[in-house]
Amino acid sequence: MTAPRASLPTPAHDSRSWGEIGLEKRHSNERRIGILLIAASAVSILTTVGIVAVLVFESIGFFAEVSVWEFLTGTRWTPLFESKSFGVLPLLMGSLLVASGAALVALPIGLASAIYLSEYAQDGVRRVLKPVLEVLAGIPTVVYGYFALLYVTPLLRTVWPNADIFNAASACIVMGIMIVPLVSSLSEDAMSAVPRSLREGAYALGATRFEVATRTVVPAALSGIIASFLLAISRAIGETMIVTIAAGATPQMTLNPLRSVQTMTAYIAQTSMGELPHGTVEYRTIFAVGLTLFCVTLLVNMVSGVVLRRYREVYE
Amino acid sequence: MSEAIRNPAGPVELEARELSVLYGETRALKYVSLKIPDRQVVSFIGPSGCGKSTLLRCFNRMNDLIPGVKIEGEALFQGRNLYGTGVDAVDVRRRIGMVFQKPNPFPKSIYDNVVFGPKINGYKGDFSELVERSLRQAALWEEVKDRLEANALSLSGGQQQRLCIARALAVEPEVLLMDEPASALDPIATQKIEDLIYDLKQDYTVVIVTHSMQQAARVSDHTAFLYMGEVVEYGPTNELFTNPREERTEAYITGRFG
């Protein structure tokens, strides 16, 4: 088909010169939009700065009365008792115990699901399964908490009858399940990003599907997988509801998951709901613990940032 | 038509019998029959989408990896149907190696790339000896012998491709399939790959897909011209290029289409 080019309508020449379109107005509009967008992002930045400032400010008040050394090395946490002790280690240990237990549950299950989704599942199955798995992340944590207390704990106590009613293990298991989607979804993203040509290269050498997954895809996606692990761990350290409901309120130095413990988050939740007089040292413990919690999660996030950069695989 | 397919005499290594590949409803390869002789180089040429890569990938069952693909007919290796019952694709690929269009070394060290295949295949011998032998076969040893622990991705494109060849040879296959192995390389690297192919046919049957007719003419003993999923003509390379029997072959090799 030969289009009659000559008959195409030629565009009428624009008689306006460039300056007349309203350069002035457009520029001032652009400026206004720019300011609006900066303001929007400033809200979150300023809030963060504000929170950190309050944490630091109140903590300074706390450390005026309690030495940093006592706080960081003391092994008893009894700020609300007659004989006051302000050693944060029991709370820190509780947090780390619960977080590592949750990681122990979530990392293998999450990685296995990611391998299944990325390497084994057919397209249709993956399209259905991935969102379903992500729904797990949308369940309110308070529901998880009661699930832990009312279903998982009795189950644990049939196996270990001497386990405490409130115990770390129950919180670990349920929190682990809660963060599985975080691990599986992000790991699956990292694994799907591994180029098809690498998989083909491995298949062509006689690798089985499992060998392709474990020896080619997982190593190539390692930085993303580790980042997903660290993100999940930092989420577990910060998680509050499950541990408040199921893990107990007994700050103690123990590595036994069947015992009742208290995490930093649970302490803050429990204490801030109490009726502590404003400005007392007991009241300020909340901020000191909050600052510690902030530092720990910040550390984990920074480590994950470094890992992401250092182990970033360039595929081609 | 039958005289356009001139199968070589002598022992047959690979054979396609009425072989078809269907992607859904589309028949990408249509009832192809040809024989590939032992320890010679055969090239498949033809315009893009003619089915030459598809045919190549039938011989190590790489097409199996594509969802919704269906294979009809037979692809035989040493007389045995690769798609027969009881034949495992993993075993097939251990005996029939493949090199791809774009160099695809694993993001690991040069050494680890070479030992990848032998390791998963349970190789029991001396790995460093195997690495040296494979790299020498791929004409890469002299360039990398002092930095076997370096990341394979630090190599140039041509070196990467020779590493991929070394990696494939380390599994000690009987056949080497090459899917446009030099199309992403510069002329000097291409020359090296072509020299290598010439050496490899002492020990291996080599099947190469190429879009370069000059390359097919330089490296192969026999050439098949494919068009629209069919083998239009197949015969000794010099005959096919100097005296094509099919009009479409002539049209393609003289550059009238494709």
Side-chain angles (χ1 to χ4, degrees):
Chain A
M1 201 178 97
T2 51
R5 281 186 75 125
S7 70
L8 281 171
T10 47
H13 272 291
D14 200 327
S15 57
R16 290 174 299 175
S17 71
W18 288 99
E20 287 172 58
I21 304 173
L23 205 61
E24 234 9 68
K25 196 177 163 214
R26 203 168 53 206
H27 274 198
S28 72
N29 267 348
E30 277 296 314
R31 252 197 310 279
R32 236 172 283 149
I33 290 169
I35 291 166
L36 211 68
L37 295 177
I38 291 170
S41 50
V43 169
S44 66
I45 294 170
L46 290 177
T47 312
T48 311
V49 170
I51 289 174
V52 175
V54 169
L55 277 180
V56 171
F57 179 76
E58 293 284 352
S59 298
I60 289 172
F62 173 80
F63 287 118
E65 292 180 55
V66 178
S67 79
V68 177
W69 182 252
E70 185 198 340
F71 180 72
L72 290 179
T73 58
T75 54
R76 268 165 51 82
W77 181 256
T78 52
L80 309 179
F81 290 3
E82 276 307 314
S83 65
K84 292 190 193 313
S85 287
F86 297 97
V88 80
L89 283 182
L91 294 183
L92 194 64
M93 202 150 176
S95 283
L96 295 183
L97 175 67
V98 173
S100 15
L104 220 59
V105 173
L107 303 191
I109 297 178
L111 185 59
S113 331
I115 290 177
Y116 171 73
L117 284 173
S118 153
E119 304 304 308
Y120 285 81
Q122 300 202 320
D123 264 2
V125 179
R126 174 174 39 236
R127 265 200 293 278
V128 175
L129 219 57
K130 211 180 165 189
V132 169
L133 205 61
E134 280 162 2
V135 164
L136 270 183
I139 297 174
T141 53
V142 66
V143 175
Y144 276 115
Y146 276 100
F147 176 70
L149 184 63
L150 301 179
Y151 290 94
V152 178
T153 301
L155 209 65
L156 284 173
R157 278 161 63 90
T158 58
V159 186
W160 293 284
N162 60 340
D164 294 341
I165 294 269
F166 298 102
N167 63 70
S170 175
C172 288
I173 293 168
V174 172
M175 196 192 290
I177 292 167
M178 184 189 79
I179 58 178
V180 159
L182 203 65
V183 175
S184 67
S185 189
L186 290 175
S187 296
E188 200 264 336
D189 288 344
M191 288 163 67
S192 305
V194 173
R196 193 186 145 77
S197 64
L198 279 190
R199 291 190 179 83
E200 286 195 330
Y203 276 120
L205 294 169
T208 61
R209 199 179 276 266
F210 185 69
E211 285 162 344
V212 171
T214 53
R215 291 175 187 240
T216 306
V217 179
V218 168
L222 200 61
S223 67
I225 292 170
I226 290 175
S228 83
F229 285 0
L230 291 171
L231 207 66
I233 289 169
S234 121
R235 176 97 166 75
I237 294 172
E239 176 19 62
T240 309
M241 218 57 216
I242 296 173
V243 287
T244 309
I245 295 172
T250 324
Q252 57 174 325
M253 303 278 285
T254 179
L255 286 176
N256 182 351
L258 298 176
R259 294 279 83 85
S260 167
V261 297
Q262 188 168 41
T263 65
M264 293 185 282
T265 52
Y267 172 78
I268 295 171
Q270 183 208 19
T271 311
S272 57
M273 283 186 297
E275 293 168 354
L276 287 169
H278 206 275
T280 60
V281 69
E282 292 88 343
Y283 168 81
R284 286 189 172 131
T285 57
I286 301 172
F287 296 94
V289 174
L291 187 65
T292 313
L293 181 63
F294 175 76
C295 290
V296 171
T297 35
L298 189 70
L299 189 75
V300 175
N301 286 350
M302 272 161 59
V303 169
S304 80
V306 170
V307 167
L308 258 180
R309 269 195 305 278
R310 167 140 347 142
Y311 296 103
R312 163 125 290 161
E313 292 268 5
V314 187
Y315 307 118
E316 43 213 315
Chain B
M1 184 71 196
S2 62
E3 65 162 18
I5 310 287
R6 301 182 296 283
N7 280 310
V12 176
E13 184 80 345
L14 293 168
E15 183 181 355
R17 275 190 201 154
E18 293 293 306
L19 187 64
S20 292
V21 175
L22 292 96
Y23 299 123
E25 296 295 305
T26 330
R27 199 173 283 266
L29 202 64
K30 298 167 187 164
Y31 313 103
V32 166
S33 296
L34 54 75
K35 290 177 181 168
I36 290 165
D38 183 29
R39 268 169 285 177
Q40 292 192 32
V41 180
V42 171
S43 58
F44 296 163
I45 61 167
S48 299
C50 70
K52 54 191 191 295
S53 285
T54 302
L55 175 58
L56 187 79
R57 284 162 171 257
C58 284
F59 288 121
N60 70 341
R61 293 191 51 175
M62 284 303 274
N63 287 328
D64 294 20
L65 302 174
I66 300 162
V69 78
K70 202 168 140 226
I71 287 118
E72 293 174 0
E74 295 182 338
L76 294 97
F77 170 55
Q78 298 175 352
R80 187 160 180 217
N81 185 10
L82 295 173
Y83 292 92
T85 47
V87 178
D88 184 22
V90 168
D91 296 330
V92 169
R93 295 184 198 127
R94 287 175 186 187
R95 297 181 66 181
I96 303 178
M98 186 163 195
V99 175
F100 297 84
Q101 180 171 5
K102 222 173 70 183
N104 58 349
F106 302 122
K108 303 172 189 281
S109 71
I110 294 168
Y111 182 94
D112 285 340
N113 265 275
V114 180
V115 301
F116 184 95
K119 265 195 180 155
I120 58 174
N121 295 330
Y123 180 77
K124 291 283 180 285
D126 179 356
F127 276 104
S128 55
E129 190 264 337
L130 175 74
V131 168
E132 177 172 346
R133 174 157 40 97
S134 308
L135 287 170
R136 276 190 195 282
Q137 274 184 299
L140 188 60
W141 174 251
E142 292 302 326
E143 291 160 62
V144 300
K145 64 180 176 188
D146 299 322
R147 49 175 176 139
L148 294 176
E149 292 308 315
N151 194 307
L153 297 171
S154 66
L155 300 173
S156 72
Q159 289 173 325
Q160 286 187 12
Q161 191 63 301
R162 277 179 283 148
L163 177 62
C164 290
I165 293 172
R167 183 176 76 179
L169 296 178
V171 188
E172 298 177 330
E174 289 149 80
V175 178
L176 200 58
L177 306 177
M178 303 178 123
D179 192 355
E180 303 198 24
S183 69
L185 305 180
D186 63 63
I188 292 166
T190 302
Q191 167 87 51
K192 283 189 177 156
I193 300 281
E194 288 180 5
D195 292 347
L196 189 54
I197 292 169
Y198 187 82
D199 295 337
L200 287 175
K201 80 172 179 181
Q202 307 298 320
D203 302 307
Y204 303 90
T205 303
V206 178
V207 188
I208 173 171
V209 162
T210 174
H211 60 227
S212 152
M213 283 173 277
Q214 290 80 358
Q215 186 169 65
R218 283 191 299 262
V219 302
S220 62
D221 303 300
H222 302 270
T223 298
F225 168 59
L226 282 86
Y227 184 58
M228 308 267 281
E230 290 174 48
V231 176
V232 173
E233 186 163 349
Y234 178 47
T237 299
N238 54 1
E239 270 184 43
L240 188 122
F241 280 108
T242 54
N243 186 20
R245 314 225 173 150
E246 278 283 318
E247 202 181 316
R248 279 175 297 174
T249 315
E250 192 182 352
Y252 182 70
I253 62 177
T254 53
R256 269 186 273 147
F257 76 95

